[in-house]
């Protein structure tokens, strides 16, 4: 599975960006797609995830109420709508694809088998 992430760029604080992640193959019921981010000098952190069958979503506390993850199964694509951006959101954002990820592992990057190339989001203050 190849994942193609896009939509990163420069935003001002308080602004919005929308990331997209297209998978090269059809997503199946057990699949989970997620977003992680890595700021310079820091570890990769969970941002959000969505179950491709139920549409159930999961969010890191730091983005709840500001970010929204959604999916388009027909396009094998997930989106991350990011609103009220702040400088603390500056990072490389990675999309990831996992199969049969149980809920307790949703937040763990080791549970995801395939990764996109990353897209840089820079938020200026």
């Amino acid at each position: 599975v190849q994942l193609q992430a896009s939509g990163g760029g420069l935003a001002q604080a308080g602004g919005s960006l929308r990331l997209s992640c297209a998978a090269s193959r059809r997503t199946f019921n057990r699949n989970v797609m997620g977003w992680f981010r890595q700021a310079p000098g820091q570890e990769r952190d969970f941002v959000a995830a969505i179950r491709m069958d139920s549409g159930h979503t999961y969010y890191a506390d730091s983005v709840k109420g500001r970010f929204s993850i959604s999916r388009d199964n027909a396009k094998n694509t997930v989106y991350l709508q990011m609103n009220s951006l702040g400088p603390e959101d500056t990072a490389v954002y990675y999309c990831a694809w996992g199969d049969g990820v149980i809920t307790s592992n949703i937040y763990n990057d080791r549970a995801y088998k395939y990764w996109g190339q990353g897209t840089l989001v820079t938020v200026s203050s």
Side-chain angles (χ1 to χ4, degrees):
V1 178
Q2 292 184 332
L3 302 176
Q4 182 68 42
S6 61
L10 178 64
Q12 292 187 335
S16 299
L17 284 173
R18 187 194 194 203
L19 305 183
S20 300
C21 178
S24 62
R25 58 173 280 187
R26 178 173 170 262
T27 55
F28 295 94
N29 288 341
R30 287 159 48 89
N31 296 156
V32 173
M33 293 186 73
W35 289 95
F36 290 76
R37 66 186 181 186
Q38 187 168 23
Q42 297 187 21
E43 295 183 350
R44 186 162 58 188
D45 292 329
F46 171 81
V47 176
I50 187 167
R51 292 197 178 276
M52 301 305 286
D53 51 358
S54 66
H56 193 86
T57 58
Y58 306 82
Y59 295 96
D61 288 342
S62 58
V63 306
K64 280 181 182 177
R66 300 189 299 124
F67 290 13
S68 176
I69 188 170
S70 61
R71 76 201 194 288
D72 185 335
N73 285 353
K75 296 182 179 180
N76 303 329
T77 300
V78 294
Y79 305 96
L80 185 67
Q81 178 66 43
M82 305 185 294
N83 300 326
S84 301
L85 285 164
E88 67 277 10
D89 297 314
T90 294
V92 176
Y93 284 70
Y94 298 92
C95 63
W97 186 95
D99 181 28
V101 180
I102 61 176
T103 300
S104 60
N105 286 341
I106 283 284
Y107 310 93
N108 187 343
D109 59 359
R110 297 179 183 180
Y112 295 80
K113 186 174 182 179
Y114 299 103
W115 291 82
Q117 81 285 7
T119 184
L120 177 62
V121 171
T122 304
V123 183
S124 62
S125 58

